[in-house]
Amino acid sequence: MNVLTVDVEDYFQVSAFERCVDRERWDCYPLRVEQNTGRILDLMEARGVKGTFFVLGWVARRCPELVREIHRRGHEVACHGYGHQRVTQLSRHAFREDVRVSKALLEELTGEAVLGYRAPSYSIAPTTLWAFDELVDAGYRYDSSVFPIRHDLYGIPDWPRFPFLLRRGGKGWEPGSDPGGYYDGDSLVEFPITTLRLFGGRLPIAGGGYFRLFPYRFTRWGLGRINGEEGRPFIFYLHPWELDPGQPRMEGAGAKSRFRHYLNLHKTEGRFARLLEDFSFTPLRDALERWRGETGGETWQGVRSR
């Protein structure tokens, strides 16, 4: 079973537009996140697919019924931070408040513990590994913030491509090297975004702008290769605004930002519907449960690094 994740944020909150959108004026923009997330929910429900929705605290506070609806339909609600600020832009104290306030808000709305976190723009970097300390101390059990590629905004390119136990040792946080491990308060399960090994490198293929950039036939081939030749599940991600070609255009954004954000928006919904037909999916919490051991739920097994 592969893992399907949705980062619930609106079109004006993305990192690509942070230089031309005043955060203090977010309330002035027309919200489209409810209707766009609803389209994703309907597509998934029609095919009996469940997934994990990483919700911004800001969205949860403005749209509490959306969070309740995601939960009511049987999906996992996880945390995407509060205001979509990259970890690299926050002090440790500000990050601590961000992840705790957001977690508490989501738990109040769903009545369930929030187990997982994903940083905006995958922004846990080698310089901000202290974020894992804060996540463990706040009560999170897993993270999905690491994109093991080189990118101008994110990435830890030398970390494993598939889920692993992240350990806190004498030299700081580092991927566990053995095939299993024990959750002892100094560890966290990491679900990195899946990449395709191709021509000796790592190709980002499992969602977002890459899903819109590559032809669907290529994406399906690459994801199928991960399932077939490597025998591993993949972790896919999507944003609600990617199904919305009619969204307002942001003025003042650079050419690269506009290209990344608006490319092939009109094709995303159709591609996503095909993806749901071509592959099987599960939420991250269920993947986590399958890796639990038998000692009171405190042992993680089956977590391999590669």
Side-chain angles (χ1 to χ4, degrees):
M1 296 288 287
N2 304 294
V3 174
L4 181 61
T5 66
V6 180
D7 295 351
V8 183
E9 62 197 51
D10 222 332
Y11 63 98
F12 54 85
Q13 298 173 316
V14 301
S15 296
F17 296 147
E18 63 188 11
R19 293 185 179 181
C20 61
V21 174
D22 184 356
R23 184 178 300 274
E24 299 301 320
R25 293 181 55 81
W26 274 5
D27 289 337
C28 300
Y29 289 91
L31 286 178
R32 300 173 72 92
V33 67
E34 291 177 286
Q35 66 187 49
N36 291 329
T37 305
R39 292 163 69 185
I40 292 177
L41 289 169
D42 290 344
L43 287 168
M44 294 173 68
E45 184 168 351
R47 293 158 179 82
V49 175
K50 304 297 182 185
T52 295
F53 287 70
F54 290 95
V55 183
L56 277 185
W58 189 94
V59 170
R61 194 172 295 280
R62 286 291 304 272
C63 311
E65 288 306 315
L66 175 61
V67 178
R68 295 190 182 102
E69 180 66 8
I70 292 169
H71 181 257
R72 186 189 68 79
R73 296 206 196 189
H75 303 285
E76 178 187 13
V77 173
C79 181
H80 198 33
Y82 188 85
H84 209 268
Q85 290 176 282
R86 283 180 276 162
V87 182
T88 49
Q89 298 173 329
L90 295 172
S91 68
R92 183 163 179 170
H93 175 75
F95 178 79
R96 180 184 303 135
E97 292 300 308
D98 183 281
V99 298
R100 292 181 181 230
V101 168
S102 301
K103 187 175 191 292
L105 175 58
L106 294 171
E107 289 176 341
E108 181 180 355
L109 291 172
T110 64
E112 290 187 357
V114 169
L115 303 179
Y117 172 79
R118 173 174 288 164
S121 299
Y122 307 103
S123 54
I124 294 183
T127 58
T128 56
L129 297 185
W130 47 258
F132 295 126
D133 292 284
E134 298 300 334
L135 292 177
V136 169
D137 292 346
Y140 291 92
R141 289 299 183 90
Y142 74 81
D143 174 72
S144 185
S145 302
V146 172
F147 213 142
I149 61 170
R150 297 187 185 280
H151 190 276
D152 58 342
L153 294 179
Y154 52 76
I156 308 181
D158 57 344
W159 276 25
R161 295 171 54 232
F162 296 112
F164 55 89
L165 194 71
L166 189 60
R167 304 288 309 195
R168 177 162 54 184
K171 296 182 179 180
W173 289 92
E174 55 188 17
S177 59
D178 65 82
Y182 293 89
Y183 179 81
D184 56 8
D186 284 317
S187 59
L188 199 69
V189 174
E190 178 63 41
F191 290 93
I193 302 303
T194 305
T195 58
L196 175 67
R197 182 179 289 147
L198 193 66
F199 303 125
R202 297 179 175 186
L203 182 70
I205 196 173
Y210 309 105
F211 187 56
R212 293 180 281 116
L213 173 64
F214 301 130
Y216 180 74
R217 290 182 62 183
F218 176 75
T219 299
R220 182 178 60 187
W221 170 82
L223 297 177
R225 180 174 173 178
I226 292 168
N227 283 172
E229 294 187 15
E230 298 196 69
R232 301 302 299 264
F234 61 81
I235 297 174
F236 186 87
Y237 73 98
L238 192 75
H239 305 89
W241 54 262
E242 292 185 280
L243 277 71
D244 184 11
Q247 64 188 262
R249 265 37 181 182
M250 295 291 103
E251 297 183 1
K256 183 166 67 172
S257 294
R258 294 196 304 271
F259 175 79
R260 286 175 171 174
H261 188 86
Y262 297 121
L263 177 69
N264 289 333
L265 292 178
H266 64 290
K267 296 183 179 180
T268 309
E269 184 168 352
R271 291 180 178 181
F272 182 58
R274 293 177 65 185
L275 184 84
L276 297 178
E277 297 286 352
D278 290 338
F279 298 95
S280 298
F281 293 99
T282 190
L284 274 170
R285 68 180 176 205
D286 292 354
L288 192 68
E289 288 297 323
R290 290 200 303 273
W291 290 341
R292 284 195 174 188
E294 298 179 355
T295 57
E298 297 300 317
T299 302
W300 310 103
Q301 297 186 359
V303 183
R304 295 184 294 166
S305 299
R306 183 181 298 180

